[in-house]
Amino acid sequence: MKRFNTYILIILLVISGKTFAQQTPADKQSEPVTIVGATAHLGNGEVIENSLIIFEDGVITEVIAANLTKRQNPGKIINAKGKHVYPGFIAPNSTLGLVEIAAVKATEDDDEMGEMLPNVRSLIAYNAESKIVESMRPNGVLLGQIVPRGGLISGTSSIVQFDAWNWEDAVVKENDGLHINWPDAFRRGRWWRDEEPGLKANKEYQENIQKLSDFFTSSKAYLAGERDYKNLPYLAMDSVFNGNKKVFVHVNGEKEIMDVIQFKKDHALKGLVIVGGYDALGVAKELKSNDIPVLVNRPHSTPNKAYEDYDYPYKLAKLLQDAGVLVALESSGQMERMNTRNLPFYAGTVAAFGMDKEEALKLITSNTAKILGIDDKYGSLEKGKSATLFISEGDALDMRTNILSHAFIDGREVSLETHQTELWKRYSKKYKDQESK
């Protein structure tokens, strides 16, 4: 009986392993790759019809019009005539790889206990084997900023690519930014505390800002002193003060954004970024003059206020860009990890509501790369940059035509198969077989 149970266990493990095991990451690029004939959307606003793109050892060596050369092209040749080439899309402010199933507590690793946690690093909790992460690639989302949640200071994010065995292999930029959850000046009554319903001033607002300010001041004093004891949160702030780590402030209201700008000045912070910025348009002039970019929340949402235009979330990115603010898109919110795969379609929605399509593309490529500080290697198709790109059958910002045939991360051709595509093929075949009977 024991032997029988052992056999059953082995069979179950084999089946589950086949069903749930991580795909093997792609091997390092071994030969040059030449893509010929595609319409190349460079990610910087430019388009090259009938393009020639060559990359070797993971780096782009040529991006030109195909009719400018008659030479013999090296390595593997991909005929992409009639197709489109794009730089890999970048998903900022994401919890991909930190939570797999929200209803299962054991799979959640995006929030630590405490208020001031700059020393918490999301990278070491990142699960490269996540099935959700895998599902990003078929839509062209190949890079992401992995961000912790919770507390006043959530911790430190890192940027990864989406085809790796583990976080060590995945990391593109380690400890890129500190994340602050700015308190709300107004909030609704909390029923679990027997508070009256409705919006009212947050009595703890100034107190929480003072907590943040005191923490920054104490950290700076500690770092400037003799350090006769080790304080990990204070030590983690060193890279913030020297400018090596950006500060991402998650905030939406006008008053709160103005207070963030003052906080930036008070503590001489470099590289501050607004995340969310729902009411940022009202203070766009101040954001521009202080060189503060905004990661705008996904446009597929309804207006927060009754007097706002129905399409305000759709056109907010364009309005901020028109005001001179550097803008990119992020996708936090309800079901944020699954919805991150819709990043290109968020940009498509912005284009449908007034923004030029190549400018909308920048919201998920070069603008994002600039804001995250990785534009030296990623975000656009340019000579000397990483060969992180994909080929689509059609317009990648349209869900009807964004059908990928090839995708590359640092020159490695990655798989476009996922658990979802396997199920799609299985059940498509099932219904086709039934129709043919």
Side-chain angles (χ1 to χ4, degrees):
M1 188 66 183
K2 286 184 178 180
R3 181 175 295 177
F4 176 77
N5 289 338
T6 301
Y7 288 149
I8 293 295
L9 179 60
I10 292 172
I11 291 169
L12 289 173
L13 287 172
V14 169
I15 293 172
S16 63
K18 188 174 181 180
T19 305
F20 297 109
Q22 177 199 17
Q23 292 181 4
T24 301
D27 293 330
K28 186 177 180 181
Q29 184 180 2
S30 59
E31 64 175 335
V33 175
T34 301
I35 303 173
V36 183
T39 298
H41 304 262
L42 305 190
N44 58 9
E46 298 179 28
V47 178
I48 300 178
E49 303 286 349
N50 187 27
S51 66
L52 175 72
I53 300 173
I54 305 173
F55 51 94
E56 188 171 0
D57 296 327
V59 177
I60 297 173
T61 58
E62 205 79 79
V63 182
I64 58 175
N67 56 10
L68 294 181
T69 179
K70 299 294 184 181
R71 70 179 182 222
Q72 184 68 33
N73 295 318
K76 178 182 178 181
I77 310 296
I78 299 176
N79 183 353
K81 187 175 181 180
K83 299 181 181 181
H84 298 256
V85 179
Y86 294 85
F89 299 149
I90 308 168
N93 186 34
S94 170
T95 54
L96 284 165
L98 300 183
V99 179
E100 193 70 6
I101 305 170
V104 180
K105 190 68 175 175
T107 73
E108 295 186 32
D109 206 2
D110 62 337
D111 187 1
E112 295 289 340
M113 294 181 65
E115 281 192 322
M116 306 294 182
L117 302 167
N119 54 311
V120 168
R121 301 167 63 232
S122 64
L123 182 62
I124 60 173
Y126 175 70
N127 175 23
E129 297 185 74
S130 166
K131 288 294 181 184
I132 305 174
V133 170
E134 178 185 273
S135 72
M136 300 297 114
R137 299 196 300 260
N139 278 359
V141 182
L142 305 181
L143 299 163
Q145 181 195 39
I146 310 305
V147 177
R149 299 282 191 247
L152 283 174
I153 299 179
S154 301
T156 298
S157 61
S158 291
I159 301 165
V160 300
Q161 51 86 3
F162 293 151
D163 182 59
W165 283 115
N166 48 50
W167 66 262
E168 292 95 338
D169 295 340
V171 66
V172 167
K173 186 174 183 180
E174 190 170 352
N175 302 334
D176 74 293
L178 181 78
H179 290 259
I180 297 175
N181 296 305
W182 198 262
D184 293 323
F186 297 88
R187 69 181 177 198
R188 299 192 179 278
R190 296 166 291 184
W191 59 266
W192 61 91
R193 290 194 178 184
D194 292 326
E195 295 176 351
E196 292 294 324
L199 197 64
K200 60 192 70 178
N202 179 5
K203 296 177 182 179
E204 300 169 5
Y205 180 67
Q206 290 300 333
E207 177 187 336
N208 285 328
I209 292 178
Q210 191 60 51
K211 281 183 183 179
L212 282 168
S213 186
D214 290 346
F215 181 82
F216 272 67
T217 301
S218 298
S219 298
K220 193 172 291 186
Y222 171 84
L223 293 167
E226 295 183 2
R227 306 187 198 176
D228 54 348
Y229 65 99
K230 184 173 285 190
N231 186 306
L232 294 179
Y234 289 167
L235 286 170
M237 295 295 290
D238 190 31
S239 53
V240 172
F241 297 129
N242 64 26
N244 290 332
K245 190 184 292 181
K246 294 196 175 188
V247 178
F248 294 83
V249 183
H250 300 243
V251 61
N252 284 299
E254 281 187 34
K255 170 179 168 48
E256 291 92 331
I257 293 173
M258 289 301 298
D259 288 340
V260 169
I261 294 173
Q262 187 59 50
F263 187 86
K264 176 182 184 291
K265 294 176 181 177
D266 292 344
H267 295 280
L269 300 178
K270 303 172 185 177
L272 189 139
V273 178
I274 297 296
V275 181
Y278 185 85
D279 294 323
L281 187 61
V283 291
K285 183 178 178 181
E286 288 77 10
L287 291 170
K288 179 185 177 182
S289 62
N290 286 278
D291 194 26
I292 298 176
V294 178
L295 291 174
V296 176
N297 193 229
R298 64 190 188 210
H300 290 184
S301 58
T302 55
N304 287 348
K305 304 176 183 71
Y307 57 81
E308 290 174 338
D309 293 343
Y310 78 94
D311 56 358
Y312 176 77
Y314 305 153
K315 62 187 182 182
L316 176 58
K318 180 184 185 302
L319 295 174
L320 285 171
Q321 179 180 271
D322 291 346
V325 179
L326 178 62
V327 181
L329 295 179
E330 58 101 5
S331 58
S332 63
Q334 190 175 25
M335 294 184 68
E336 63 180 71
R337 287 164 294 281
M338 299 73 169
N339 281 321
T340 299
R341 68 178 70 124
N342 292 324
L343 190 65
F345 313 136
Y346 297 152
T349 297
V350 174
F353 282 81
M355 185 178 282
D356 174 79
K357 184 154 281 190
E358 297 306 316
E359 289 297 309
L361 177 63
K362 290 164 67 174
L363 301 179
I364 55 176
T365 55
S366 59
N367 282 12
T368 310
K370 287 176 187 175
I371 292 172
L372 299 185
I374 58 172
D375 54 311
D376 59 328
K377 289 186 64 178
Y378 300 95
S380 59
L381 302 177
E382 298 179 64
K383 186 176 180 179
K385 289 195 174 183
S386 168
T388 298
L389 51 90
F390 65 90
I391 303 172
S392 175
E393 299 287 341
D395 180 0
L397 305 191
D398 188 331
M399 67 175 63
R400 297 168 298 181
T401 54
N402 184 14
I403 303 169
L404 272 62
S405 60
H406 301 77
F408 300 87
I409 295 178
D410 296 326
R412 301 177 297 109
E413 186 168 6
V414 301
S415 172
L416 295 173
E417 291 298 321
T418 71
H419 184 57
Q420 286 80 8
T421 60
E422 288 176 7
L423 292 175
W424 168 63
K425 289 177 181 178
R426 179 193 301 174
Y427 289 103
S428 292
K429 183 178 184 303
K430 171 186 176 183
Y431 290 112
K432 285 179 182 177
D433 291 346
Q434 288 179 346
E435 288 174 1
S436 63
K437 289 180 180 179

